[in-house]
Short mmCIF file of all heavy atoms in Angstrom, two decimals:
data_model
loop_
_atom_site.label_atom_id
_atom_site.label_comp_id
_atom_site.label_asym_id
_atom_site.label_seq_id
_atom_site.Cartn_x
_atom_site.Cartn_y
_atom_site.Cartn_z
N MET W 149 0.83 -1.19 0.00
CA MET W 149 0.00 0.00 0.00
C MET W 149 0.87 1.25 0.00
O MET W 149 2.02 1.21 0.37
CB MET W 149 -0.91 0.01 1.22
CG MET W 149 -2.02 -1.03 1.21
SD MET W 149 -3.27 -0.61 0.01
CE MET W 149 -3.39 -2.17 -0.84
N GLY W 150 0.26 2.36 -0.35
CA GLY W 150 0.99 3.61 -0.47
C GLY W 150 0.98 4.42 0.81
O GLY W 150 0.25 4.13 1.76
N ARG W 151 1.83 5.42 0.82
CA ARG W 151 1.87 6.37 1.93
C ARG W 151 1.67 7.76 1.36
O ARG W 151 2.27 8.13 0.36
CB ARG W 151 3.21 6.30 2.66
CG ARG W 151 3.40 4.96 3.34
CD ARG W 151 4.59 4.95 4.23
NE ARG W 151 5.83 5.04 3.47
CZ ARG W 151 7.03 5.11 4.03
NH1 ARG W 151 7.15 5.11 5.34
NH2 ARG W 151 8.09 5.18 3.28
N PHE W 152 0.79 8.53 2.01
CA PHE W 152 0.42 9.86 1.54
C PHE W 152 0.58 10.87 2.65
O PHE W 152 0.25 10.58 3.80
CB PHE W 152 -1.03 9.87 1.04
CG PHE W 152 -1.25 8.98 -0.16
CD1 PHE W 152 -1.55 7.64 0.02
CD2 PHE W 152 -1.15 9.48 -1.43
CE1 PHE W 152 -1.74 6.81 -1.07
CE2 PHE W 152 -1.34 8.66 -2.53
CZ PHE W 152 -1.64 7.32 -2.35
N LEU W 153 1.05 12.04 2.30
CA LEU W 153 1.21 13.13 3.26
C LEU W 153 0.56 14.38 2.69
O LEU W 153 0.88 14.83 1.59
CB LEU W 153 2.70 13.42 3.53
CG LEU W 153 3.01 14.62 4.42
CD1 LEU W 153 2.48 14.38 5.84
CD2 LEU W 153 4.50 14.90 4.44
N PHE W 154 -0.37 14.93 3.45
CA PHE W 154 -0.99 16.21 3.11
C PHE W 154 -0.31 17.28 3.96
O PHE W 154 -0.25 17.16 5.18
CB PHE W 154 -2.49 16.21 3.43
CG PHE W 154 -3.29 15.27 2.57
CD1 PHE W 154 -3.67 14.03 3.05
CD2 PHE W 154 -3.67 15.63 1.29
CE1 PHE W 154 -4.41 13.16 2.27
CE2 PHE W 154 -4.41 14.77 0.50
CZ PHE W 154 -4.78 13.53 0.99
N VAL W 155 0.17 18.31 3.33
CA VAL W 155 0.79 19.44 4.04
C VAL W 155 -0.13 20.64 3.82
O VAL W 155 -0.35 21.05 2.69
CB VAL W 155 2.20 19.74 3.51
CG1 VAL W 155 2.83 20.89 4.27
CG2 VAL W 155 3.07 18.48 3.59
N VAL W 156 -0.68 21.14 4.92
CA VAL W 156 -1.70 22.19 4.80
C VAL W 156 -1.41 23.35 5.74
O VAL W 156 -0.95 23.16 6.86
CB VAL W 156 -3.11 21.63 5.08
CG1 VAL W 156 -3.54 20.67 4.00
CG2 VAL W 156 -3.18 20.94 6.42
N PRO W 157 -1.73 24.57 5.28
CA PRO W 157 -1.61 25.73 6.16
C PRO W 157 -2.77 25.73 7.16
O PRO W 157 -3.74 24.98 6.98
CB PRO W 157 -1.69 26.93 5.21
CG PRO W 157 -2.39 26.42 4.01
CD PRO W 157 -2.11 24.95 3.92
N PRO W 158 -2.69 26.56 8.19
CA PRO W 158 -3.69 26.52 9.27
C PRO W 158 -5.00 27.22 8.94
O PRO W 158 -5.54 27.95 9.74
CB PRO W 158 -2.97 27.21 10.42
CG PRO W 158 -2.09 28.19 9.75
CD PRO W 158 -1.62 27.51 8.48
N LEU W 159 -5.54 27.00 7.78
CA LEU W 159 -6.83 27.59 7.41
C LEU W 159 -7.78 26.46 7.03
O LEU W 159 -7.41 25.55 6.27
CB LEU W 159 -6.65 28.55 6.23
CG LEU W 159 -5.66 29.70 6.45
CD1 LEU W 159 -5.40 30.43 5.15
CD2 LEU W 159 -6.16 30.63 7.53
N MET W 160 -8.98 26.49 7.56
CA MET W 160 -9.93 25.39 7.33
C MET W 160 -10.18 25.13 5.84
O MET W 160 -10.36 24.02 5.42
CB MET W 160 -11.27 25.68 8.00
CG MET W 160 -11.21 25.71 9.51
SD MET W 160 -10.75 24.14 10.26
CE MET W 160 -8.99 24.23 10.36
N GLY W 161 -10.16 26.17 5.05
CA GLY W 161 -10.39 26.00 3.62
C GLY W 161 -9.32 25.17 2.95
O GLY W 161 -9.53 24.65 1.86
N HIS W 162 -8.17 25.02 3.60
CA HIS W 162 -7.11 24.20 3.06
C HIS W 162 -7.14 22.80 3.66
O HIS W 162 -6.77 21.83 3.00
CB HIS W 162 -5.76 24.84 3.33
CG HIS W 162 -5.55 26.10 2.56
ND1 HIS W 162 -5.99 27.33 3.01
CD2 HIS W 162 -4.98 26.33 1.36
CE1 HIS W 162 -5.68 28.25 2.12
NE2 HIS W 162 -5.08 27.68 1.12
N VAL W 163 -7.55 22.66 4.89
CA VAL W 163 -7.61 21.36 5.55
C VAL W 163 -8.81 20.56 5.05
O VAL W 163 -8.68 19.38 4.70
CB VAL W 163 -7.70 21.52 7.09
CG1 VAL W 163 -7.86 20.17 7.77
CG2 VAL W 163 -6.47 22.24 7.63
N ASN W 164 -9.97 21.17 5.00
CA ASN W 164 -11.21 20.46 4.66
C ASN W 164 -11.16 19.67 3.36
O ASN W 164 -11.62 18.53 3.33
CB ASN W 164 -12.40 21.42 4.66
CG ASN W 164 -12.80 21.83 6.06
OD1 ASN W 164 -12.48 21.17 7.03
ND2 ASN W 164 -13.49 22.94 6.17
N PRO W 165 -10.62 20.20 2.26
CA PRO W 165 -10.61 19.42 1.02
C PRO W 165 -9.78 18.13 1.09
O PRO W 165 -10.03 17.19 0.35
CB PRO W 165 -10.02 20.38 -0.01
CG PRO W 165 -10.24 21.73 0.54
CD PRO W 165 -10.17 21.58 2.03
N THR W 166 -8.82 18.10 2.01
CA THR W 166 -7.98 16.90 2.11
C THR W 166 -8.64 15.79 2.92
O THR W 166 -8.22 14.63 2.85
CB THR W 166 -6.63 17.24 2.77
OG1 THR W 166 -6.83 17.60 4.14
CG2 THR W 166 -5.92 18.35 2.03
N LEU W 167 -9.68 16.12 3.69
CA LEU W 167 -10.28 15.15 4.60
C LEU W 167 -10.97 14.00 3.88
O LEU W 167 -10.80 12.83 4.24
CB LEU W 167 -11.24 15.85 5.56
CG LEU W 167 -10.61 16.90 6.47
CD1 LEU W 167 -11.68 17.61 7.28
CD2 LEU W 167 -9.55 16.29 7.36
N SER W 168 -11.76 14.29 2.86
CA SER W 168 -12.47 13.21 2.16
C SER W 168 -11.49 12.34 1.38
O SER W 168 -11.64 11.11 1.36
CB SER W 168 -13.56 13.76 1.25
OG SER W 168 -13.01 14.63 0.29
N VAL W 169 -10.50 12.95 0.77
CA VAL W 169 -9.50 12.17 0.03
C VAL W 169 -8.71 11.29 1.00
O VAL W 169 -8.50 10.11 0.76
CB VAL W 169 -8.55 13.10 -0.77
CG1 VAL W 169 -7.44 12.30 -1.44
CG2 VAL W 169 -9.33 13.90 -1.78
N GLY W 170 -8.28 11.89 2.11
CA GLY W 170 -7.54 11.13 3.11
C GLY W 170 -8.35 9.99 3.71
O GLY W 170 -7.84 8.89 3.91
N SER W 171 -9.62 10.24 3.99
CA SER W 171 -10.49 9.18 4.53
C SER W 171 -10.63 8.02 3.55
O SER W 171 -10.60 6.85 3.94
CB SER W 171 -11.87 9.74 4.87
OG SER W 171 -11.78 10.67 5.91
N GLU W 172 -10.79 8.35 2.29
CA GLU W 172 -10.91 7.30 1.27
C GLU W 172 -9.61 6.50 1.15
O GLU W 172 -9.65 5.27 1.05
CB GLU W 172 -11.27 7.92 -0.09
CG GLU W 172 -11.46 6.90 -1.19
CD GLU W 172 -12.61 5.93 -0.95
OE1 GLU W 172 -13.57 6.26 -0.22
OE2 GLU W 172 -12.55 4.80 -1.50
N LEU W 173 -8.49 7.17 1.19
CA LEU W 173 -7.21 6.47 1.14
C LEU W 173 -7.05 5.55 2.34
O LEU W 173 -6.59 4.41 2.21
CB LEU W 173 -6.06 7.47 1.07
CG LEU W 173 -5.93 8.24 -0.24
CD1 LEU W 173 -4.94 9.40 -0.09
CD2 LEU W 173 -5.49 7.31 -1.37
N LEU W 174 -7.41 6.03 3.53
CA LEU W 174 -7.35 5.20 4.73
C LEU W 174 -8.25 3.97 4.60
O LEU W 174 -7.85 2.85 4.96
CB LEU W 174 -7.76 6.01 5.97
CG LEU W 174 -6.71 6.93 6.56
CD1 LEU W 174 -7.33 7.89 7.56
CD2 LEU W 174 -5.59 6.13 7.20
N SER W 175 -9.45 4.15 4.08
CA SER W 175 -10.37 3.02 3.95
C SER W 175 -9.86 1.97 2.96
O SER W 175 -10.25 0.82 3.02
CB SER W 175 -11.76 3.51 3.52
OG SER W 175 -11.77 3.90 2.17
N ARG W 176 -8.96 2.38 2.07
CA ARG W 176 -8.38 1.45 1.10
C ARG W 176 -7.07 0.84 1.60
O ARG W 176 -6.39 0.14 0.85
CB ARG W 176 -8.16 2.15 -0.23
CG ARG W 176 -9.45 2.56 -0.90
CD ARG W 176 -9.20 3.25 -2.21
NE ARG W 176 -10.46 3.68 -2.80
CZ ARG W 176 -10.64 3.85 -4.10
NH1 ARG W 176 -9.66 3.63 -4.94
NH2 ARG W 176 -11.81 4.24 -4.55
N GLY W 177 -6.72 1.14 2.85
CA GLY W 177 -5.57 0.52 3.46
C GLY W 177 -4.25 1.27 3.34
O GLY W 177 -3.21 0.75 3.71
N HIS W 178 -4.29 2.47 2.83
CA HIS W 178 -3.07 3.27 2.70
C HIS W 178 -2.73 3.92 4.04
O HIS W 178 -3.59 4.10 4.90
CB HIS W 178 -3.24 4.35 1.64
CG HIS W 178 -3.49 3.82 0.27
ND1 HIS W 178 -2.52 3.24 -0.51
CD2 HIS W 178 -4.63 3.77 -0.47
CE1 HIS W 178 -3.03 2.87 -1.67
NE2 HIS W 178 -4.31 3.18 -1.66
N GLN W 179 -1.48 4.31 4.19
CA GLN W 179 -1.07 5.10 5.35
C GLN W 179 -1.23 6.57 4.95
O GLN W 179 -0.74 6.98 3.90
CB GLN W 179 0.37 4.82 5.72
CG GLN W 179 0.60 3.44 6.26
CD GLN W 179 2.07 3.22 6.60
OE1 GLN W 179 2.95 3.92 6.11
NE2 GLN W 179 2.32 2.25 7.44
N VAL W 180 -1.90 7.34 5.80
CA VAL W 180 -2.17 8.74 5.50
C VAL W 180 -1.77 9.59 6.70
O VAL W 180 -2.03 9.24 7.85
CB VAL W 180 -3.67 8.97 5.18
CG1 VAL W 180 -3.93 10.42 4.84
CG2 VAL W 180 -4.11 8.06 4.04
N ALA W 181 -1.10 10.70 6.41
CA ALA W 181 -0.69 11.63 7.47
C ALA W 181 -0.89 13.05 6.99
O ALA W 181 -0.96 13.32 5.79
CB ALA W 181 0.77 11.39 7.84
N TRP W 182 -1.00 13.93 7.96
CA TRP W 182 -1.11 15.36 7.69
C TRP W 182 0.03 16.07 8.41
O TRP W 182 0.33 15.75 9.56
CB TRP W 182 -2.43 15.92 8.21
CG TRP W 182 -3.60 15.72 7.31
CD1 TRP W 182 -4.15 16.66 6.47
CD2 TRP W 182 -4.39 14.54 7.14
NE1 TRP W 182 -5.22 16.11 5.80
CE2 TRP W 182 -5.39 14.81 6.19
CE3 TRP W 182 -4.34 13.26 7.69
CZ2 TRP W 182 -6.32 13.88 5.78
CZ3 TRP W 182 -5.26 12.31 7.29
CH2 TRP W 182 -6.25 12.63 6.34
N ALA W 183 0.65 17.03 7.75
CA ALA W 183 1.58 17.95 8.39
C ALA W 183 0.81 19.26 8.47
O ALA W 183 0.52 19.89 7.45
CB ALA W 183 2.85 18.10 7.57
N ALA W 184 0.44 19.62 9.68
CA ALA W 184 -0.44 20.77 9.86
C ALA W 184 -0.29 21.32 11.27
O ALA W 184 0.32 20.69 12.13
CB ALA W 184 -1.90 20.36 9.62
N HIS W 185 -0.88 22.47 11.47
CA HIS W 185 -0.91 23.04 12.82
C HIS W 185 -1.99 22.30 13.60
O HIS W 185 -3.13 22.19 13.14
CB HIS W 185 -1.18 24.53 12.74
CG HIS W 185 -0.09 25.24 12.00
ND1 HIS W 185 1.06 25.67 12.61
CD2 HIS W 185 0.05 25.55 10.69
CE1 HIS W 185 1.84 26.22 11.71
NE2 HIS W 185 1.26 26.16 10.54
N PRO W 186 -1.65 21.75 14.75
CA PRO W 186 -2.57 20.85 15.46
C PRO W 186 -3.89 21.47 15.90
O PRO W 186 -4.92 20.80 15.85
CB PRO W 186 -1.78 20.41 16.69
CG PRO W 186 -0.42 20.94 16.56
CD PRO W 186 -0.38 21.90 15.42
N GLN W 187 -3.88 22.72 16.32
CA GLN W 187 -5.11 23.31 16.87
C GLN W 187 -6.28 23.26 15.88
O GLN W 187 -7.34 22.76 16.21
CB GLN W 187 -4.85 24.72 17.36
CG GLN W 187 -6.05 25.33 18.05
CD GLN W 187 -5.75 26.74 18.55
OE1 GLN W 187 -4.80 27.37 18.12
NE2 GLN W 187 -6.58 27.22 19.45
N PRO W 188 -6.13 23.76 14.66
CA PRO W 188 -7.28 23.69 13.77
C PRO W 188 -7.46 22.33 13.10
O PRO W 188 -8.58 21.96 12.76
CB PRO W 188 -6.98 24.77 12.72
CG PRO W 188 -5.51 24.94 12.74
CD PRO W 188 -5.06 24.61 14.13
N ALA W 189 -6.40 21.57 12.90
CA ALA W 189 -6.49 20.35 12.09
C ALA W 189 -6.85 19.10 12.89
O ALA W 189 -7.63 18.27 12.43
CB ALA W 189 -5.19 20.12 11.34
N ALA W 190 -6.27 18.91 14.06
CA ALA W 190 -6.42 17.65 14.80
C ALA W 190 -7.86 17.22 15.01
O ALA W 190 -8.19 16.05 14.80
CB ALA W 190 -5.67 17.74 16.13
N PRO W 191 -8.77 18.09 15.42
CA PRO W 191 -10.15 17.64 15.66
C PRO W 191 -10.86 17.18 14.39
O PRO W 191 -11.85 16.46 14.46
CB PRO W 191 -10.86 18.86 16.23
CG PRO W 191 -9.81 19.83 16.60
CD PRO W 191 -8.60 19.49 15.79
N LEU W 192 -10.37 17.58 13.24
CA LEU W 192 -11.05 17.26 11.98
C LEU W 192 -10.56 15.96 11.34
O LEU W 192 -11.26 15.38 10.51
CB LEU W 192 -10.82 18.40 10.97
CG LEU W 192 -11.29 19.78 11.40
CD1 LEU W 192 -10.85 20.82 10.38
CD2 LEU W 192 -12.79 19.80 11.56
N LEU W 193 -9.37 15.51 11.71
CA LEU W 193 -8.77 14.36 11.04
C LEU W 193 -9.53 13.06 11.32
O LEU W 193 -10.05 12.86 12.42
CB LEU W 193 -7.32 14.21 11.46
CG LEU W 193 -6.42 15.38 11.10
CD1 LEU W 193 -4.99 15.11 11.54
CD2 LEU W 193 -6.46 15.69 9.62
N PRO W 194 -9.58 12.18 10.32
CA PRO W 194 -10.29 10.92 10.49
C PRO W 194 -9.53 9.98 11.42
O PRO W 194 -8.32 10.11 11.58
CB PRO W 194 -10.37 10.35 9.08
CG PRO W 194 -9.25 10.98 8.34
CD PRO W 194 -9.04 12.33 8.97
N PRO W 195 -10.24 9.02 12.04
CA PRO W 195 -9.57 8.03 12.89
C PRO W 195 -8.53 7.27 12.08
O PRO W 195 -8.75 6.94 10.92
CB PRO W 195 -10.69 7.09 13.33
CG PRO W 195 -11.95 7.86 13.11
CD PRO W 195 -11.68 8.82 11.98
N GLY W 196 -7.38 7.04 12.67
CA GLY W 196 -6.31 6.32 12.00
C GLY W 196 -5.34 7.22 11.27
O GLY W 196 -4.32 6.77 10.76
N ALA W 197 -5.64 8.52 11.22
CA ALA W 197 -4.75 9.46 10.56
C ALA W 197 -3.62 9.85 11.50
O ALA W 197 -3.79 9.91 12.71
CB ALA W 197 -5.51 10.71 10.13
N ARG W 198 -2.48 10.12 10.93
CA ARG W 198 -1.34 10.55 11.72
C ARG W 198 -1.12 12.04 11.48
O ARG W 198 -1.27 12.53 10.36
CB ARG W 198 -0.10 9.77 11.31
CG ARG W 198 1.09 10.10 12.15
CD ARG W 198 2.20 9.12 11.94
NE ARG W 198 3.29 9.48 12.82
CZ ARG W 198 4.48 8.93 12.78
NH1 ARG W 198 4.72 7.97 11.92
NH2 ARG W 198 5.42 9.33 13.60
N LEU W 199 -0.78 12.76 12.53
CA LEU W 199 -0.55 14.20 12.44
C LEU W 199 0.89 14.50 12.79
O LEU W 199 1.38 14.11 13.86
CB LEU W 199 -1.49 14.95 13.39
CG LEU W 199 -1.28 16.45 13.50
CD1 LEU W 199 -1.54 17.14 12.16
CD2 LEU W 199 -2.17 17.05 14.57
N PHE W 200 1.59 15.16 11.89
CA PHE W 200 2.91 15.70 12.16
C PHE W 200 2.71 17.18 12.46
O PHE W 200 2.44 17.97 11.55
CB PHE W 200 3.85 15.52 10.96
CG PHE W 200 4.17 14.09 10.66
CD1 PHE W 200 3.54 13.43 9.61
CD2 PHE W 200 5.08 13.38 11.43
CE1 PHE W 200 3.83 12.11 9.32
CE2 PHE W 200 5.37 12.06 11.15
CZ PHE W 200 4.75 11.41 10.10
N PRO W 201 2.77 17.55 13.73
CA PRO W 201 2.46 18.94 14.09
C PRO W 201 3.52 19.92 13.60
O PRO W 201 4.71 19.67 13.74
CB PRO W 201 2.39 18.91 15.62
CG PRO W 201 3.16 17.71 16.02
CD PRO W 201 3.10 16.73 14.89
N LEU W 202 3.06 20.99 12.99
CA LEU W 202 3.95 22.07 12.57
C LEU W 202 4.07 23.07 13.70
O LEU W 202 3.15 23.23 14.50
CB LEU W 202 3.41 22.75 11.31
CG LEU W 202 3.30 21.86 10.09
CD1 LEU W 202 2.69 22.64 8.92
CD2 LEU W 202 4.63 21.28 9.69
N ASP W 203 5.16 23.76 13.76
CA ASP W 203 5.42 24.74 14.80
C ASP W 203 4.49 25.93 14.65
O ASP W 203 4.55 26.66 13.66
CB ASP W 203 6.87 25.20 14.73
CG ASP W 203 7.23 26.22 15.78
OD1 ASP W 203 6.43 26.41 16.73
OD2 ASP W 203 8.30 26.82 15.69
N GLY W 204 3.63 26.12 15.61
CA GLY W 204 2.68 27.21 15.55
C GLY W 204 3.27 28.55 15.92
O GLY W 204 2.74 29.59 15.58
N ASP W 205 4.42 28.55 16.61
CA ASP W 205 5.01 29.82 17.04
C ASP W 205 5.46 30.67 15.87
O ASP W 205 5.41 31.89 15.92
CB ASP W 205 6.20 29.57 17.97
CG ASP W 205 5.77 28.94 19.29
OD1 ASP W 205 4.58 29.08 19.65
OD2 ASP W 205 6.61 28.31 19.96
N ALA W 206 5.88 30.03 14.79
CA ALA W 206 6.41 30.78 13.66
C ALA W 206 5.32 31.53 12.90
O ALA W 206 5.55 32.61 12.40
CB ALA W 206 7.16 29.84 12.72
N VAL W 207 4.13 30.96 12.84
CA VAL W 207 3.07 31.57 12.04
C VAL W 207 1.96 32.20 12.88
O VAL W 207 1.12 32.89 12.34
CB VAL W 207 2.44 30.56 11.06
CG1 VAL W 207 3.46 30.07 10.08
CG2 VAL W 207 1.77 29.44 11.80
N ALA W 208 1.96 31.98 14.16
CA ALA W 208 0.88 32.49 15.01
C ALA W 208 0.65 33.98 14.86
O ALA W 208 -0.49 34.42 14.69
CB ALA W 208 1.12 32.11 16.47
N PRO W 209 1.70 34.81 14.90
CA PRO W 209 1.45 36.26 14.74
C PRO W 209 0.84 36.59 13.38
O PRO W 209 -0.04 37.44 13.30
CB PRO W 209 2.84 36.90 14.88
CG PRO W 209 3.66 35.89 15.60
CD PRO W 209 3.10 34.54 15.21
N LEU W 210 1.30 35.94 12.34
CA LEU W 210 0.75 36.20 11.01
C LEU W 210 -0.68 35.72 10.91
O LEU W 210 -1.54 36.40 10.35
CB LEU W 210 1.60 35.51 9.94
CG LEU W 210 3.02 36.00 9.81
CD1 LEU W 210 3.80 35.13 8.82
CD2 LEU W 210 3.06 37.45 9.38
N PHE W 211 -0.96 34.55 11.46
CA PHE W 211 -2.29 33.98 11.41
C PHE W 211 -3.27 34.85 12.19
O PHE W 211 -4.35 35.16 11.72
CB PHE W 211 -2.28 32.56 11.95
CG PHE W 211 -3.61 31.86 11.85
CD1 PHE W 211 -4.20 31.63 10.62
CD2 PHE W 211 -4.28 31.45 12.99
CE1 PHE W 211 -5.42 30.99 10.53
CE2 PHE W 211 -5.50 30.82 12.91
CZ PHE W 211 -6.07 30.58 11.67
N ASP W 212 -2.86 35.29 13.38
CA ASP W 212 -3.72 36.16 14.18
C ASP W 212 -4.01 37.46 13.46
O ASP W 212 -5.14 37.94 13.41
CB ASP W 212 -3.09 36.45 15.54
CG ASP W 212 -3.07 35.22 16.43
OD1 ASP W 212 -3.84 34.27 16.17
OD2 ASP W 212 -2.28 35.22 17.40
N LYS W 213 -2.98 38.04 12.86
CA LYS W 213 -3.15 39.30 12.14
C LYS W 213 -4.09 39.11 10.95
O LYS W 213 -4.97 39.92 10.71
CB LYS W 213 -1.80 39.80 11.66
CG LYS W 213 -1.87 41.13 10.96
CD LYS W 213 -0.48 41.60 10.56
CE LYS W 213 -0.55 42.91 9.82
NZ LYS W 213 0.76 43.37 9.38
N PHE W 214 -3.94 38.00 10.23
CA PHE W 214 -4.78 37.74 9.07
C PHE W 214 -6.24 37.55 9.48
O PHE W 214 -7.13 38.13 8.88
CB PHE W 214 -4.29 36.48 8.34
CG PHE W 214 -5.22 36.05 7.24
CD1 PHE W 214 -5.23 36.70 6.02
CD2 PHE W 214 -6.10 35.01 7.43
CE1 PHE W 214 -6.09 36.32 5.01
CE2 PHE W 214 -6.97 34.61 6.43
CZ PHE W 214 -6.96 35.27 5.22
N THR W 215 -6.49 36.76 10.53
CA THR W 215 -7.88 36.50 10.91
C THR W 215 -8.55 37.74 11.47
O THR W 215 -9.73 37.96 11.23
CB THR W 215 -7.98 35.35 11.93
OG1 THR W 215 -7.16 35.65 13.06
CG2 THR W 215 -7.54 34.04 11.31
N ILE W 216 -7.81 38.56 12.19
CA ILE W 216 -8.40 39.79 12.72
C ILE W 216 -8.70 40.76 11.58
O ILE W 216 -9.77 41.35 11.50
CB ILE W 216 -7.45 40.44 13.75
CG1 ILE W 216 -7.41 39.59 15.02
CG2 ILE W 216 -7.89 41.86 14.07
CD1 ILE W 216 -6.32 39.97 15.98
N ARG W 217 -7.76 40.90 10.66
CA ARG W 217 -7.92 41.85 9.56
C ARG W 217 -9.04 41.44 8.62
O ARG W 217 -9.76 42.26 8.10
CB ARG W 217 -6.60 41.94 8.79
CG ARG W 217 -6.64 42.89 7.62
CD ARG W 217 -5.27 43.04 6.96
NE ARG W 217 -4.65 41.77 6.67
CZ ARG W 217 -4.77 41.12 5.52
NH1 ARG W 217 -5.52 41.61 4.57
NH2 ARG W 217 -4.15 39.98 5.32
N SER W 218 -9.23 40.14 8.41
CA SER W 218 -10.17 39.71 7.38
C SER W 218 -11.58 39.40 7.90
O SER W 218 -12.45 39.07 7.12
CB SER W 218 -9.61 38.46 6.68
OG SER W 218 -9.55 37.38 7.57
N ARG W 219 -11.81 39.47 9.19
CA ARG W 219 -13.12 39.12 9.73
C ARG W 219 -14.30 39.79 9.04
O ARG W 219 -15.25 39.13 8.68
CB ARG W 219 -13.17 39.40 11.23
CG ARG W 219 -12.77 38.20 12.02
CD ARG W 219 -13.02 38.40 13.49
NE ARG W 219 -12.08 37.55 14.18
CZ ARG W 219 -11.39 37.90 15.24
NH1 ARG W 219 -11.54 39.08 15.75
NH2 ARG W 219 -10.55 37.08 15.78
N PRO W 220 -14.28 41.10 8.86
CA PRO W 220 -15.46 41.71 8.25
C PRO W 220 -15.55 41.48 6.74
O PRO W 220 -16.56 41.80 6.13
CB PRO W 220 -15.30 43.20 8.56
CG PRO W 220 -13.85 43.39 8.79
CD PRO W 220 -13.32 42.09 9.31
N LEU W 221 -14.52 40.92 6.15
CA LEU W 221 -14.49 40.74 4.70
C LEU W 221 -14.79 39.29 4.33
O LEU W 221 -14.52 38.38 5.09
CB LEU W 221 -13.12 41.13 4.15
CG LEU W 221 -12.64 42.54 4.51
CD1 LEU W 221 -11.22 42.75 4.03
CD2 LEU W 221 -13.57 43.58 3.91
N ARG W 222 -15.29 39.08 3.14
CA ARG W 222 -15.61 37.74 2.65
C ARG W 222 -15.08 37.57 1.24
O ARG W 222 -14.92 38.54 0.49
CB ARG W 222 -17.12 37.49 2.64
CG ARG W 222 -17.76 37.52 4.02
CD ARG W 222 -17.36 36.25 4.80
NE ARG W 222 -17.94 36.24 6.10
CZ ARG W 222 -17.25 36.45 7.23
NH1 ARG W 222 -15.99 36.72 7.19
NH2 ARG W 222 -17.86 36.39 8.39
N GLY W 223 -14.82 36.34 0.85
CA GLY W 223 -14.38 36.05 -0.51
C GLY W 223 -12.94 36.50 -0.76
O GLY W 223 -12.14 36.61 0.16
N LEU W 224 -12.63 36.77 -2.00
CA LEU W 224 -11.27 37.16 -2.38
C LEU W 224 -10.84 38.48 -1.76
O LEU W 224 -9.66 38.71 -1.54
CB LEU W 224 -11.15 37.24 -3.90
CG LEU W 224 -11.26 35.90 -4.64
CD1 LEU W 224 -11.21 36.13 -6.14
CD2 LEU W 224 -10.13 34.98 -4.21
N VAL W 225 -11.79 39.32 -1.43
CA VAL W 225 -11.46 40.61 -0.83
C VAL W 225 -10.76 40.40 0.51
O VAL W 225 -9.92 41.21 0.91
CB VAL W 225 -12.74 41.45 -0.66
CG1 VAL W 225 -12.45 42.75 0.05
CG2 VAL W 225 -13.36 41.71 -2.00
N ALA W 226 -11.04 39.31 1.20
CA ALA W 226 -10.44 39.04 2.51
C ALA W 226 -8.93 38.85 2.41
O ALA W 226 -8.22 39.05 3.38
CB ALA W 226 -11.07 37.79 3.12
N PHE W 227 -8.45 38.47 1.25
CA PHE W 227 -7.01 38.29 1.09
C PHE W 227 -6.32 39.61 0.85
O PHE W 227 -5.20 39.80 0.98
CB PHE W 227 -6.70 37.31 -0.04
CG PHE W 227 -7.13 35.93 0.30
CD1 PHE W 227 -8.18 35.34 -0.36
CD2 PHE W 227 -6.49 35.21 1.28
CE1 PHE W 227 -8.59 34.06 -0.06
CE2 PHE W 227 -6.89 33.94 1.60
CZ PHE W 227 -7.94 33.36 0.94
#
């Protein structure tokens, strides 16, 4: 069987699309892992998935600034 690694930034829009693909791969007997920030990703991962936690200290200030700045905005304008 194969081994797959999803590397995702700490935004739900990036984690969510990998979940159905990862779940399907797991159900077919593959090894599946995610390299992600644990706080947003861990609760979403399917049973049997492995998480390689990324260092949140390096991106936390940027992530906080982005989420605060973009709250009132939606769509591409938020970027």
